[in-house]
Structure formats: structure tokens, C-alpha cells
Amino acid sequence: MGTAPLAPQLKGNSTFNQNTDITGISVKRGQDITFRCDANCEVYGTWKKDGLTLHNDGRIIITEPTQYRCFNLTIRDATDEDEGEYTLKLSKWRGDASGSAKVKVLDYAVAWRKIDHQRNDTVKTALREFTPSNPEAQRLRFLLHGPVGAGKSSMANSVNTVFQGRTTVNAHAAPSTGKSETTTYNMYEIKDQHGRKLSFVFNDIMGLEGTETGGVLTADIISALKGHVKDGYKFNPSSPLSGGLYYNNNPTLDEKVHCLVSVMPAHKILLLEETHGLIMKMREVRDVAKNLEIPHVLLMTHVDSCPLVKEDLDKIYFSKKIKIAMENCSVKLGVPMNRIFPVKNYHEENCVDEKVDCVILDALDNIVNFANDYVIRQIE
Ligand SMILES: Nc1nc2c(ncn2[C@@H]2O[C@H](COP(=O)(O)OP(=O)(O)OP(=O)(O)O)[C@@H](O)[C@H]2O)c(=O)[nH]1
Ligand SMILES: [Mg+2]
């Protein structure tokens, strides 16, 4: 609970107490915000937030002032909307006074989504043993797409790392130079520590750029989604694939994509306007997936750009920054919150970590389920 004595600051010619300290308070989401003010004579008081008068209403509790001297305001279960400037205006026929305090709402006191490392082994075993429920799809295919440097190739590597119990580098990942490191269409199989193939693969694609002429073309991502692009195709940012050796005219269900996986770095989404070229391109691909009824999830990478999460990945669902970035992804890219998974890739580690495994497994478990639901729907 965050509490602050409000300090009434004298305005006009009042004779009651004046105190010029303006106190600010910080509370964690879900905690209560409490203000108290003691006047040194009998006065009337009005509470305001950002200039608007507050009234008793559900979470807002304004207690009757004791002897017109003691004023209390409590806001239960703080949310972001409670941030702002709170003012207590005290008045009497001889003048008035007011005191203000700023409230900042910090990270959550309680995680808003559960993560449980204890389930890692169970989830891993289930995914290792998984086979698609429609025999026409021998394995589930997930298409990774997103901005240059988002962590797409790292994700394919990270999933392999989780199942092999050691760091792996099949897909080439590199610090972003602004141009996509990945330039060809590659399929990455996932194997366990004995080299046994699992029943799902990741298709990695060239990165998107915000400009019209740079990066992979949305037409090529859409072709890949429909299964028209063959493994090994080198993308040409000035002309979409429409035929030839690498064009698959009649893809089978097995060759089509069963889940579109958008990858967006947490720190990047906050900087992108809804009208930015990258957002527009990602929305275009999402719309096609939606029309084809292909499930769509979003992996929000680089969650370690939040200091709280960098220090302890288990704090991922305590972080206000992460929640805000996820909400940004949801609104800007049109993905429901329950299809957004914040993850950290294995990018600097040289051994596995149960916390990194846990967030990746949670996302993967959902992707596999959504994709399997899709292939079941294709059974004629
Ligand atoms: N801190 C941090 N770095 C990451 C994360 N994921 C990837 N990286 C790093 O970001 C850089 C780009 O990662 P890639 O996997 O190559 O990204 P990509 O989306 O495949 O990029 P392109 O192929 O160029 O489009 C690499 O230096 C990675 O090590 C993450 O979750 N956190
Ligand atoms: Mg790449």
C-alpha cells in the first residue's frame, strides 16, 4: 500500500495551516493508494484527480472527514489509469488551500499470468511425443516473420536448445545492421538430445523493413504462408516469387503453414506508430492469415530490455513495461493478448536455463495446440 500525507498549499487569505511540501508516491499495480490530510481547523474538502472531482465509486473510497479536519482518500487495486495528480482542495469562508501529490503506478505486486518451471519436463515430454492429429500433416509448420533483427532465427535456435539441453546454432543469428541477416527461406527441424526429430518445424524468413523497397516483400510472406515457397529460396526484395524452381504450385497440407508466428522485440513496438510501414506490412500478413483461418501468435522477444526482467526472468509478468509492450503489440498488430507470448531467446548464454526454457515452452505449447486445431479443421 502506498500512502502519502497530502500537503495543503495555501491559496488566498486563509488562516488555516499551510505546508508547501508536495509529496509524490509510487505504488505497485494492484496495491491500494492512500492519501491522508489533517487540517488544523474545520474545513470542507474536495478530492480531485487531474482537475476532475472524485466521488465515492467502487475502488474510490472517500471517507467522511472526522470533525471536518481529517481527510482520507483510498483507491483500491491500483491500475495504470490511477496515475496522475491528486489534489485535495480545502475551503472555508475565509479562504481556501490545496495540496497535490503525483502518483506513479509501478510493476505488479502479483503476477498477472502464471509461469511454472515445475511443468517444464512435463511440457517437454508432451511436445517430444506429440504427433499431429491429421495424418495429412506429418509435422506442424510454423512461419516466423517480423522486423529485421527481431530474433526470428534466434527463436528457431532457442527451441532446439530447449530440446537438446545445450546451446545450438543451426539458424544464423547476428547483431542487426539494419539489413536482414537471413536472406533465404530455411526450414529448421527441431531435434531432441538423441537427434530424434520432433513433429514440428520452423520456417525462417528474411526480415521486414519499414520502407517500401527494403526487406522481404509481404507478397513473399503470403506465398510462404500458403506453402508456395520452397526451402532454400533466396528472397528478392524487388520482385515477388511467382514461378520457377522454387515455386510450389500445388502445396499439400503438409507443405502449408499451420501457424503464423510474428516476432516483435519488446523495445521496438513502443517506438512504432500504428501507421509505420512495418506495422502496416505485418497487419497485411495477419489479415491474410485470418482470412485463411491460419492461427496467429506473436512472440515478443528482447524482454530483457526491461531491467526488472533482465535481472530475473521470473519477473516477466510482474513488469509493467512488458504488459504495456504486449498491449501495444495487441492494439497495433491486432493480436489478442492471449495469443501474445513474451519470450527471451538464448542469445548470450552458453548453457540452458530453466527460466528461459519455461517461457519458450509455454509459447511453443500454445503454438502447437493452435496449429494442431487448424490441421484437425482441414480433415474433410
Ligand atoms: N537481448 C536479446 N537479444 C536477442 C534476443 N533475441 C535475439 N537477440 C539478438 O538479436 C540479434 C538479432 O537476432 P536474429 O535472430 O538474427 O534476428 P532475426 O529476426 O533473425 O534477424 P534478420 O534475419 O536479420 O531479419 C542477435 O544478435 C541476437 O543474439 C533476445 O530475446 N534478447
Ligand atoms: Mg534471421
Side-chain angles (χ1 to χ4, degrees):
M1 182 173 73
T3 24
L6 260 176
Q9 190 179 8
L10 189 70
K11 277 188 201 154
N13 60 346
S14 165
T15 55
F16 51 80
N17 197 26
Q18 51 177 302
N19 181 343
T20 51
D21 282 348
I22 296 185
T23 318
I25 62 165
S26 299
V27 292
K28 293 202 165 198
R29 284 190 179 199
Q31 288 185 320
D32 294 349
I33 304 167
T34 309
F35 290 111
R36 197 199 70 247
C37 173
D38 295 318
N40 66 348
C41 62
E42 292 184 4
V43 283
Y44 293 102
T46 311
W47 290 98
K48 294 189 177 220
K49 177 179 177 261
D50 297 329
L52 297 174
T53 303
L54 292 172
H55 302 283
N56 265 311
D57 176 21
R59 295 187 307 114
I60 302 173
I61 301 154
I62 302 170
T63 47
E64 273 299 307
T66 321
Q67 296 175 331
Y68 294 99
R69 282 173 182 258
C70 179
F71 297 86
N72 289 298
L73 165 68
T74 301
I75 312 216
R76 297 238 178 269
D77 196 13
T79 67
D80 271 355
E81 292 70 47
D82 297 324
E83 277 198 350
E85 188 169 55
Y86 289 78
T87 306
L88 174 62
K89 190 170 175 225
L90 300 175
S91 52
K92 205 177 171 173
W93 63 273
R94 292 169 77 180
D96 59 46
S98 67
S100 298
K102 284 212 166 84
V103 168
K104 190 158 173 43
V105 180
L106 302 175
D107 298 308
Y108 292 91
V110 178
W112 61 272
R113 204 187 259 182
K114 296 273 171 282
I115 45 171
D116 181 6
H117 316 147
Q118 310 298 324
R119 287 189 65 240
N120 279 10
D121 283 343
T122 315
V123 177
K124 240 192 263 184
T125 306
L127 290 174
R128 243 189 246 119
E129 289 168 4
F130 168 84
T131 49
S133 306
N134 181 344
E136 277 182 47
Q138 285 167 21
R139 52 197 171 177
L140 298 180
R141 190 180 297 274
F142 314 137
L143 176 65
L144 295 162
H145 90 122
V148 167
K152 301 178 292 296
S153 304
S154 301
M155 178 48 59
N157 288 335
S158 295
V159 172
N160 252 315
T161 295
V162 171
F163 286 97
Q164 296 191 22
R166 62 172 182 87
T167 48
T168 58
V169 283
N170 295 332
H172 188 73
S176 185
T177 53
K179 291 281 159 205
S180 188
E181 191 63 27
T182 305
T183 52
T184 49
Y185 192 51
N186 296 311
M187 181 189 83
Y188 292 101
E189 293 178 321
I190 308 300
K191 295 179 184 161
D192 69 11
Q193 70 270 43
H194 307 298
R196 209 168 50 96
K197 289 179 193 168
L198 273 62
S199 297
F200 45 85
V201 296
F202 281 90
N203 278 29
D204 188 19
I205 213 167
M206 186 183 198
L208 275 166
E209 290 180 32
T211 57
E212 256 179 46
T213 48
V216 65
L217 296 170
T218 49
D220 280 341
I221 306 178
I222 292 164
S223 289
L225 200 57
K226 295 176 177 171
H228 292 307
V229 185
K230 288 189 189 170
D231 202 29
Y233 171 65
K234 188 164 173 56
F235 291 100
N236 177 358
S238 46
S239 150
L241 176 71
S242 56
L245 201 61
Y246 285 99
Y247 193 85
N248 182 351
N249 274 309
N250 296 305
T252 60
L253 180 66
D254 194 50
E255 290 161 336
K256 290 179 185 170
V257 167
H258 311 123
C259 186
L260 173 67
V261 180
S262 300
V263 183
M264 176 58 80
H267 56 284
K268 186 152 192 153
I269 186 69
L270 301 170
L271 307 173
L272 297 172
E273 298 286 333
E274 277 178 64
T275 51
H276 191 279
L278 261 175
I279 300 285
M280 306 294 277
K281 288 180 183 179
M282 289 181 77
R283 282 196 84 107
E284 187 187 339
V285 177
R286 167 223 174 244
D287 288 348
V288 173
K290 193 176 163 201
N291 288 340
L292 295 170
E293 295 180 13
I294 296 172
H296 179 205
V297 304
L298 187 135
L299 300 182
M300 196 177 78
T301 51
H302 289 252
V303 290
D304 46 323
S305 55
C306 164
L308 180 78
V309 179
K310 185 173 176 63
E311 201 183 305
D312 181 1
L313 188 58
D314 273 353
K315 291 283 187 320
I316 203 160
Y317 294 117
F318 286 83
S319 163
K320 187 177 148 188
K321 282 199 173 75
I322 295 299
K323 180 90 185 286
I324 291 172
M326 288 171 70
E327 285 163 354
N328 259 263
C329 286
S330 179
V331 172
K332 293 175 181 169
L333 297 169
V335 189
M337 282 295 274
N338 60 7
R339 301 262 169 137
I340 300 178
F341 299 92
V343 288
K344 198 190 93 69
N345 275 315
Y346 280 108
H347 66 103
E348 59 181 8
E349 300 74 2
N350 59 3
C351 56
V352 290
D353 178 318
E354 63 172 9
K355 295 180 183 178
V356 179
D357 276 10
C358 186
V359 288
I360 293 174
L361 283 167
D362 182 37
L364 190 62
D365 193 27
N366 279 282
I367 293 171
V368 167
N369 285 332
F370 296 145
N372 196 44
D373 290 345
Y374 171 77
V375 294
I376 291 172
R377 286 199 298 272
Q378 308 312 306
I379 299 173
E380 284 140 346

